[in-house]
Amino acid sequence: NAGVTQTPKFRILKIGQSMTLQCTQDMNHNYMYWYRQDPGMGLKLIYYSVGAGITDKGEVPNGYNVSRSTTEDFPLRLELAAPSQTSVYFCASSYADGLSYEQYFGPGTRLTVT
Amino acid sequence: KNEVEQSPQNLTAQEGEFITINCSYSVGISALHWLQQHPGGGIVSLFMLSSGKKKHGRLIATINIQEKHSSLHITASHPRDSAVYICAVVTGDKLIFGTGTRLQVFP
């Protein structure tokens, strides 16, 4: 099993551009999450999904959108990129509720917006 | 003040030393996670506990719900233990992450 994969690993965007961060898991997990990690800060939840077709906002959803058309994929869309979105983005998945179960993390995407 | 505080922020040790990383929190919780973030950035879940103590290899995690405190111990530390260790607490329907403790173990 590849686990949780994320692409790209690195990306530089200009202000106002848009992009999609890809996340795929092959563990048949229902729950998937997107986090951002800023220097010196704890991980913050952007969006999560409890199954295909169901998504919900986390703590810091502004400026992002997600979709979950399949169990495997959970892409994160950035519209009108801003310097405040410079961060490392992690996708994660869990078999059930990730509060009570282990979450499996992808390798991260380092995004710089200039 | 952050709801989850870890100490120390940075820790250096010689190989073989016993390591303790602390996590204190100010909210009511139902469980606590310890995670390890490798130098390359990857994050791995180490433990989830809601009471008492758990052990996995050289790693031991304890929690005292009444004192709102958890510790992660590493016995016989090794350079490959060098990483950032992150504590996260489950409160209501949220997971709140600490900022991590950066550990460096030198040969």
Side-chain angles (χ1 to χ4, degrees):
Chain A
N1 285 352
V4 180
T5 57
Q6 291 182 236
T7 56
K9 285 190 168 48
F10 305 93
R11 183 72 187 266
I12 298 174
L13 278 184
K14 293 192 186 307
I15 294 171
Q17 287 184 322
S18 59
M19 76 164 293
T20 299
L21 281 66
Q22 301 291 346
C23 175
T24 300
Q25 54 92 7
D26 63 0
M27 296 173 282
N28 203 32
H29 286 170
N30 284 323
Y31 288 69
M32 295 187 75
Y33 313 85
W34 273 106
Y35 296 96
R36 59 178 288 172
Q37 185 179 42
D38 300 322
M41 306 286 286
L43 288 154
K44 302 283 188 192
L45 182 65
I46 305 170
Y47 270 95
Y48 68 98
S49 169
V50 302
I54 306 169
T55 62
D56 210 344
K57 295 178 181 177
E59 193 179 350
V60 290
N62 291 346
Y64 307 95
N65 276 301
V66 293
S67 58
R68 184 97 183 269
S69 55
T70 66
T71 299
E72 295 78 20
D73 300 307
F74 190 40
L76 177 72
R77 177 91 178 151
L78 277 73
E79 305 281 4
L80 297 174
S84 61
Q85 292 177 304
T86 293
S87 189
V88 181
Y89 292 84
F90 288 96
C91 178
S93 72
S94 61
Y95 170 70
D97 170 14
L99 301 180
S100 309
Y101 289 82
E102 177 180 359
Q103 292 191 27
Y104 293 80
F105 287 81
T109 294
R110 186 175 295 273
L111 176 68
T112 302
V113 182
T114 62
Chain B
K1 187 172 169 29
N2 292 335
E3 292 163 304
V4 179
E5 297 274 0
Q6 289 186 235
S7 63
Q9 284 187 306
N10 294 285
L11 183 56
T12 58
Q14 288 294 126
E15 184 173 356
E17 284 185 6
F18 181 83
I19 306 287
T20 295
I21 297 169
N22 298 297
C23 176
S24 297
Y25 49 90
S26 57
V27 294
I29 73 167
S30 56
L32 182 144
H33 295 256
W34 280 103
L35 306 107
Q36 180 191 54
Q37 185 167 21
H38 298 295
I43 299 174
V44 174
S45 179
L46 297 175
F47 294 104
M48 194 204 72
L49 65 167
S50 53
S51 65
K53 177 173 162 176
K54 283 192 176 179
K55 185 175 190 289
H56 185 253
R58 295 180 294 106
L59 300 178
I60 304 166
T62 65
I63 188 168
N64 185 318
I65 294 290
Q66 286 74 29
E67 293 188 5
K68 296 193 164 151
H69 182 268
S70 175
S71 293
L72 177 68
H73 305 285
I74 305 175
T75 61
S77 59
H78 190 276
R80 66 173 174 267
D81 297 325
S82 297
V84 176
Y85 292 84
I86 300 169
C87 163
V89 301
V90 181
T91 179
D93 61 354
K94 290 197 306 183
L95 195 56
I96 303 175
F97 292 82
T99 56
T101 293
R102 183 176 300 277
L103 170 66
Q104 287 185 290
V105 182
F106 294 99

